[in-house]
Amino acid sequence: MKFAALADSTRRRILSMLLEDDMAVTDVAEPFEMSLAAISKHLVILTRAGLISQEKRGRVKWCKLEPDALRDASVWMQSFGQFEAVNLDAFERFLEVELPDRSSNADDPS
């Protein structure tokens, strides 16, 4: 499930943003040209995959990167180090072909 979550370019951008620091959901959504509801669906997918965690602080929901989950994925991908670097866009296309019933769009939170 981690790799399916990583296959989407929007979710990879969100993870890159969270590398810097924890962020409020509204701050995560700001640079994207999509609704807050669509971003929230992406966050649900990342949370279910264990790549991020979310917590409510007062009235604001915050997102935090879970580095151990990414570390496991990174170690697995590094085992292919003797080959070319992993192209995540090509990996996304591969997953779309291999998992056609699991759309990578934000309308499918699975």
Side-chain angles (χ1 to χ4, degrees), residues 51-98:
L51 297 169
I52 68 168
S53 59
Q54 295 184 61
E55 71 173 298
K56 203 157 191 179
R57 299 180 198 162
R59 302 179 81 200
V60 178
K61 192 175 231 182
W62 287 80
C63 301
K64 176 184 177 186
L65 187 67
E66 291 298 331
D68 289 338
L70 285 175
R71 190 173 297 117
D72 292 343
S74 176
V75 167
W76 183 81
M77 289 192 310
Q78 286 177 5
S79 68
F80 296 99
Q82 70 266 23
F83 304 108
E84 290 183 34
V86 175
N87 179 328
L88 291 178
D89 291 328
F91 190 56
E92 178 179 4
R93 290 189 296 276
F94 167 78
L95 286 177
E96 287 171 355
V97 170
E98 293 298 314

